[in-house]
Amino acid sequence: MSTNKNRKELLRKLSRNLMVTLPMMTVVTVAGFSTGSGSFLELIPSAEAAQGEAEGEAKGEAEGEAKAEAEGSARGEGEAEGRAEGEAEGEAEGEAKGEGVSASLKKAVRRPEGYTPYQGNVAELRAKGEKLFNDTSLSSNGLACATCHTNGMLYNPTFKKEYPHFVAMGQRDFGMDMVHLDEMVQICMVAPMAAEPLEWGSEELAALTEYTRMEQKKFIDK
Ligand code: HEC
């Protein structure tokens, strides 16, 4: 999990998984939104290209990666939750087949120890956050946060609860039982946006977090 290439590879596999699960969720969460052609994938221009690429490249690297990760997990690295050791291998296998998130990405979306969020003027952060929310250059696949979340799209009812709280994607893909709002921003950066997480303590992360706090308020009032 040391090279950039490996990480990019994992990100690609991850976004491919999401593309499989998202159309179903779309039907559930935004009933009436899906059209005859039915495709949420149309929102994701690079979906097919990414898939072909991921499959091609995954073959060479997946096995070695799986072994390395199994070793890492067995030593307890990145497995903060103290999962059963027996799970390590199964998980590594899943990753090799593109069914999971690497231990390092799981760690990357969690608040680091001793973390202090960037402090700034709230109004300025919100304005910056709104720009970032609409900025497709934040992702590696042409999506912006707003592509999925305009008008409260794709949020689940968990979004109405005070943070930290349970989020299905957080638990399913990242093994987190509770998620803070800034961690949720990082999860969507890494998973649906297929990008690197934002720097912890950065103005960008604070801005997006502050903006999504307003999104939450709108969603609650809806
Ligand atoms: C490809 C679509 C997609 C993109 C792009 C996306 N998200 Fe999400 N987001 C989702 C889905 C799906 C959920 C619902 C997850 C769940 O409830 O398990 C979600 C949930 C959320 C939640 C609410 C979680 C909760 O219930 O508390 C927040 C906040 C959020 N996203 C922020 C963002 C931000 C910020 C960005 C941009 C950096 C972003 N999202 C980009 C698909 C997307």
Side-chain angles (χ1 to χ4, degrees):
M1 210 35 13
S2 48
T3 67
N4 242 343
K5 196 163 176 235
N6 273 348
R7 174 167 263 222
K8 287 235 173 70
E9 167 61 24
L10 273 169
L11 287 170
R12 259 200 304 272
K13 281 192 278 177
L14 177 57
S15 65
R16 185 185 50 177
N17 291 342
L18 252 139
M19 283 159 203
V20 178
T21 52
L22 275 173
M24 288 167 57
M25 299 180 67
T26 311
V27 172
V28 177
T29 28
V30 271
F33 173 72
S34 52
T35 58
S37 54
S39 189
F40 188 71
L41 286 175
E42 281 161 18
L43 290 175
I44 308 178
S46 62
E48 279 172 40
Q51 182 159 344
E53 218 179 308
E55 264 156 23
E57 288 188 31
K59 273 187 192 135
E61 287 175 40
E63 253 185 60
E65 200 177 281
K67 282 201 189 111
E69 299 239 354
E71 276 160 26
S73 301
R75 284 199 305 268
E77 278 174 26
E79 294 286 322
E81 265 69 48
R83 286 139 86 81
E85 271 194 13
E87 263 181 7
E89 273 178 47
E91 200 173 71
E93 260 170 43
E95 274 164 22
K97 290 192 219 113
E99 288 166 5
V101 179
S102 75
S104 71
L105 276 183
K106 282 182 182 166
K107 196 171 169 203
V109 300
R110 287 170 159 85
R111 285 183 174 179
E113 225 170 293
Y115 161 59
T116 320
Y118 176 92
Q119 304 291 318
N121 176 286
V122 173
E124 274 171 31
L125 287 176
R126 283 179 184 165
K128 282 196 175 129
E130 182 169 14
K131 283 206 187 104
L132 291 171
F133 202 78
N134 288 283
D135 186 350
T136 54
S137 72
L138 230 52
S139 73
S140 73
N141 53 16
L143 300 182
C145 309
T147 315
C148 290
H149 291 310
T150 301
N151 296 326
M153 254 185 349
L154 282 187
Y155 296 122
N156 279 313
T158 46
F159 193 35
K160 296 194 173 179
K161 296 193 192 152
E162 205 176 307
Y163 284 96
H165 61 231
F166 170 90
V167 179
M169 195 197 290
Q171 189 182 63
R172 190 192 58 227
D173 296 334
F174 295 84
M176 299 163 84
D177 293 332
M178 297 285 262
V179 172
H180 289 279
L181 181 52
D182 46 12
E183 291 176 324
M184 190 62 221
V185 172
Q186 300 283 43
I187 286 173
C188 272
M189 278 297 295
V190 163
M193 305 272 285
E196 296 284 330
L198 294 162
E199 194 85 36
W200 289 98
S202 68
E203 185 180 15
E204 285 76 19
L205 179 57
L208 262 182
T209 303
E210 202 48 56
Y211 183 75
T212 43
R213 215 187 297 286
M214 296 198 347
E215 283 276 293
Q216 184 185 32
K217 222 181 154 296
K218 275 191 270 170
F219 190 67
I220 290 169
D221 293 342
K222 237 180 162 188

